[in-house]
């Protein structure tokens, strides 16, 4: 049964939130101040109609909005959207008693996302390739995607055909598509074990269509052109399924903020270094020690350094920083540090940083909640928060990056 709701605020995941006598109700695709008709089920409701629209409501950029599960707030006016994203960082920090200089959101332009994860499944009607509807397992086939680089959108039919060729399961599977300097790198996961004939046909297709590489569950099936990305002036041949920042512009913005903060550091530690997006840029001015748990990523970083020109020394160490963080004694060998952990943050590593004497620290995070927790640890350990820069690279989604810069006065010896 549907009912009338008044939307009080926008929640952290982009849902409109209505206050009722029985608790808050979360209604996707609604905005503060709106009166809507929605079908309620417990603490969620499905929007039926907007009775009184907010002046901040705009037409969405994509025909698949509200269905595909990829975007949450295409219907929100741009300036209000940017403020909502920034406020997510502000509120997360305030929850840990942290108040500081938080800059304006660095915006994200449409049609710039270089790394997209599609879902695929073979059905009676044929292969479906797209995104999963929110709170569902249904795959919504897409024909456009205004967040993605045009080269990805232009390849949708070819990617769907490739999904058909590699599918050896009745279940859904994932296809990560990354734009590189060599072409599209396609990493498929959980599509089933390929037979020899499938491998041959899929390989021939990749070659004929000019794709750079196809891998399945980490195994390279065919690699006509080694996928290469640029980290500053350094070319890096990335391994299959390697983590990359979602947009080049956001990666460069983060690197600029971090690089300026660590510009006086002669020796820098890069923790959770990945393939070297920070390390290889920082090495233009500083010696860098890169620590990373993923062996292929670390190997790519090391290989890129060895073939690069004009860099200071870069050393690398394979190390699970969750199980064995660098100790404060090890960290004291550095005068600058950057760490960029996964969404879970770096609680144990932050405790060691807090005990260290490293004067300049840059904390990079895609999760304001765990960033706030880790910053609280550093502040309690004697660091001062200089500023925080929110950066948007997940357009129209609830996710936001942030770079926090900290300093600790040097101890007198």
């Amino acid at each position: 049964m549907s009912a009338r709701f008044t939307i009080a605020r926008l929640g952290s995941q982009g849902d409109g939130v209505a206050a009722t006598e029985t608790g808050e109700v979360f209604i996707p695709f609604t905005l503060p101040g709106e009166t809507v008709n929605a079908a309620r089920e417990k603490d969620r409701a499905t929007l039926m109609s907007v009775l009184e629209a907010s002046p901040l409501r705009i037409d969405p950029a994509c025909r698949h909005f509200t269905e595909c599960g990829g975007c949450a707030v295409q219907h929100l006016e741009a300036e209000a959207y940017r403020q909502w994203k920034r406020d997510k960082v502000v509120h997360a920090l305030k929850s840990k008693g942290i108040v500081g200089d938080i800059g304006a959101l660095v915006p994200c332009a449409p049609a710039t996302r270089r790394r997209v994860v599609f879902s695929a499944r073979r059905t009676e009607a044929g292969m479906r390739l797209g995104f999963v509807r929110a709170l569902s397992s249904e795959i919504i086939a897409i024909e456009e995607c205004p967040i993605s680089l045009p080269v990805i959108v232009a390849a949708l039919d070819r990617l769907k055909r490739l999904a058909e060729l590699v599918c050896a399961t009745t279940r859904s599977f994932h296809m990560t598509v990354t734009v590189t300097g060599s072409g599209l790198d396609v990493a498929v996961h959980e599509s089933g074990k390929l037979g020899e004939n499938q491998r041959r046909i899929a390989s021939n297709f990749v070659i004929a269509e000019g794709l750079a590489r196809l891998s399945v569950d980490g195994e390279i099936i065919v690699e006509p052109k080694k996928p290469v990305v640029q980290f500053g002036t350094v070319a890096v041949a990335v391994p299959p399924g390697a983590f990359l920042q979602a947009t080049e512009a956001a990666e460069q913005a983060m690197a600029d903020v971090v690089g300026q903060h660590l510009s006086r550091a002669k020796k820098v530690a890069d923790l959770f270094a990945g393939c070297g997006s920070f390390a290889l840029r920082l090495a233009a001015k500083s010696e860098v020690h890169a620590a990373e748990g993923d062996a292929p990523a670390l190997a790519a970083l090391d290989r890129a350094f060895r073939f690069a020109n004009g860099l200071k020394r870069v050393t690398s160490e394979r190390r699970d920083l969750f199980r064995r963080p660098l100790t404060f004694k090890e960290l004291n060998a550095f005068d600058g540090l950057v760490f960029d952990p996964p969404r879970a943050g770096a609680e144990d590593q932050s405790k060691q940083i807090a005990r260290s004497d490293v004067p300049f620290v840059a904390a990079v995070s895609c999760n304001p909640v765990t960033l706030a927790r880790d910053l609280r640890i550093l502040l309690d350990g004697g660091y001062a928060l200089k500023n925080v820069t929110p950066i948007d690279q997940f357009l129209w989604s609830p996710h936001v990056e942030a770079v926090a810069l900290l300093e600790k006065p040097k101890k007198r010896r």
Side-chain angles (χ1 to χ4, degrees):
M1 180 180 295
S2 64
R4 181 182 293 234
F5 298 91
T6 299
I7 307 303
R9 60 184 177 86
L10 202 59
S12 63
Q13 297 303 305
D15 297 335
V17 183
T20 74
E21 294 180 354
T22 55
E24 292 184 330
V25 178
F26 296 86
I27 310 175
F29 316 121
T30 61
L31 297 174
E34 292 188 330
T35 301
V36 303
N37 191 35
R40 179 176 180 178
E41 185 175 348
K42 297 182 180 179
D43 65 344
R44 298 192 63 83
T46 300
L47 177 66
M48 308 301 289
S49 61
V50 177
L51 304 176
E52 296 179 21
S54 165
L56 298 177
R57 179 175 284 273
I58 62 173
D59 292 334
C62 179
R63 77 183 83 170
H64 303 298
F65 180 62
T66 74
E67 292 185 341
C68 86
C71 295
V73 284
Q74 281 190 18
H75 58 310
L76 178 59
E77 184 272 334
E79 183 55 40
Y81 163 79
R82 289 192 287 269
Q83 189 61 47
W84 171 69
K85 277 271 175 107
R86 179 182 179 275
D87 285 346
K88 288 170 68 68
V89 178
V90 172
H91 295 154
L93 268 55
K94 279 187 176 179
S95 72
K96 294 295 183 180
I98 303 172
V99 179
D101 178 10
I102 301 176
L105 181 79
V106 176
C108 178
T112 57
R113 187 154 185 170
R114 64 177 173 185
R115 186 173 186 268
V116 180
V117 181
F118 295 109
S119 293
R121 187 169 189 169
R122 178 174 284 140
T123 70
E124 291 182 358
M127 179 61 62
R128 295 185 71 82
L129 179 76
F131 300 114
V132 176
R133 186 192 295 272
L135 303 178
S136 168
S137 61
E138 181 187 3
I139 297 173
I140 304 299
I142 64 167
E143 298 177 19
E144 64 180 2
C145 182
I147 67 170
S148 301
L149 282 169
V151 66
I152 295 179
V153 178
L156 283 173
D157 287 342
R158 287 180 290 157
L159 294 170
K160 179 179 175 181
R161 176 61 181 149
L162 182 57
E164 292 175 342
L165 296 178
V166 300
C167 181
T169 179
T170 58
R171 299 181 179 183
S172 61
F173 58 97
H174 296 107
M175 177 180 280
T176 301
V177 181
T178 304
V179 178
T180 75
S182 317
L184 296 183
D185 181 18
V186 182
V188 180
H189 301 279
E190 299 181 339
S191 62
K193 183 175 176 59
L194 293 185
E196 287 303 316
N197 193 46
Q198 270 187 299
R199 296 169 73 98
R200 179 181 56 79
I201 294 173
S203 296
N204 290 339
F205 179 85
V206 167
I207 294 169
E209 296 296 333
L211 303 179
R213 178 171 61 195
L214 169 66
S215 62
V216 176
D217 294 327
E219 178 193 358
I220 296 175
I221 304 302
V222 62
E223 188 181 68
K225 295 171 286 187
K226 192 169 288 293
V228 173
V229 298
Q230 289 288 135
F231 293 153
T233 61
V234 182
V236 182
V238 292
F243 171 80
L244 292 175
Q245 299 295 348
T247 74
E248 286 189 82
E251 179 182 88
Q252 188 60 55
M254 288 186 275
D256 289 345
V257 173
V258 170
Q260 184 175 1
H261 185 59
L262 302 182
S263 61
R264 288 179 284 171
K266 294 182 179 179
K267 194 171 182 181
V268 174
D270 180 4
L271 310 183
F272 306 95
C275 293
S277 60
F278 289 117
L280 294 169
R281 287 179 169 97
L282 292 169
K285 295 182 178 180
S286 309
E287 289 189 9
V288 180
H289 180 67
E292 166 62 46
D294 183 71
L298 200 64
L301 187 162
D302 182 66
R303 185 167 54 250
F305 162 67
R306 294 181 186 280
F307 282 93
N309 295 316
L311 299 184
K312 303 285 188 180
R313 186 165 67 110
V314 176
T315 57
S316 57
E317 175 185 5
R318 186 183 180 190
R319 187 156 172 171
D320 184 340
L321 296 172
F322 293 107
R323 295 176 178 270
R324 194 165 65 91
L326 265 70
T327 68
F328 70 95
K329 291 183 178 180
E330 292 174 290
L331 293 171
N332 285 341
F334 304 96
D335 46 9
L337 181 152
V338 57
F339 67 105
D340 182 13
R343 291 187 61 80
E347 184 173 10
D348 290 341
Q349 184 62 78
S350 295
K351 291 176 181 177
Q352 293 298 321
I353 297 170
R355 296 179 65 189
S356 78
D357 297 331
V358 181
F360 301 104
V361 170
V364 182
S365 175
C366 62
N367 185 344
V369 174
T370 55
L371 174 65
R373 179 202 64 202
D374 294 346
L375 290 181
R376 183 72 269 166
I377 294 170
L378 297 177
L379 296 176
D380 290 344
Y383 280 93
L385 181 63
K386 308 306 291 184
N387 59 68
V388 180
T389 302
I391 298 174
D392 191 13
Q393 66 168 330
F394 304 101
L395 186 62
W396 298 317
S397 84
H399 303 299
V400 60
E401 292 275 343
V403 181
L405 306 179
L406 305 102
E407 293 184 11
K408 177 182 279 191
K410 289 186 177 181
K411 291 182 180 180
R412 292 184 177 180
R413 299 191 183 278

